[in-house]
Amino acid sequence: MNGRVLRAQITMRCCGTTAPERTAGPCWQLFVVMIGRVDDWPVYTWPTSPQAPTVEERAAELALLGFALAEDAEWEWCESTTPEYHPHPEQVELMAAAQIRPLNGDAA
């Protein structure tokens, strides 16, 4: 690895998502932040549910995407509010991020 810090993020998509597939309601989405177009980032979308994925579920999906948490890394949670343009009243939005590493040892 070239020393570049990779990060994974997980966020609740309160109004569903259109990529990589459309969901009809709230869902959690995990993606690996990389250089380049957002459309090219590795992503996993859990089935529609407001329930946050467990640490074990996040680790399993990260592995399917070819990544694992970096040594001593933990998920760090933060909250904000949904933007004014959302078609519902303002609400709290949760997001978590963690440092990750490729499973094969290569730079992503």
Side-chain angles (χ1 to χ4, degrees):
M1 197 157 146
N2 65 6
R4 185 167 40 117
V5 175
L6 297 172
R7 290 189 64 84
Q9 288 186 214
I10 181 173
T11 186
M12 163 63 89
R13 301 294 188 182
C14 61
C15 297
T17 184
T18 58
E21 296 177 9
R22 179 176 292 282
T23 60
C27 63
W28 285 89
Q29 198 167 49
L30 168 72
F31 53 94
V32 176
V33 179
M34 303 182 83
I35 295 173
R37 295 174 24 139
V38 173
D39 293 346
D40 296 334
W41 291 359
V43 64
Y44 178 80
T45 305
W46 278 272
T48 302
S49 170
Q51 188 67 30
T54 65
V55 172
E56 293 80 13
E57 291 169 326
R58 287 177 251 156
E61 299 314 329
L62 262 179
L64 286 176
L65 295 175
F67 297 89
L69 286 180
E71 187 176 332
D72 298 326
E74 294 182 8
W75 290 96
E76 299 174 18
W77 288 90
C78 65
E79 62 181 53
S80 63
T81 55
T82 54
E84 293 178 10
Y85 61 79
H86 272 265
H88 53 68
E90 189 174 281
Q91 58 189 17
V92 172
E93 195 173 49
L94 289 175
M95 182 179 78
Q99 290 185 351
I100 59 172
R101 62 174 177 78
L103 286 175
N104 64 6
D106 294 338

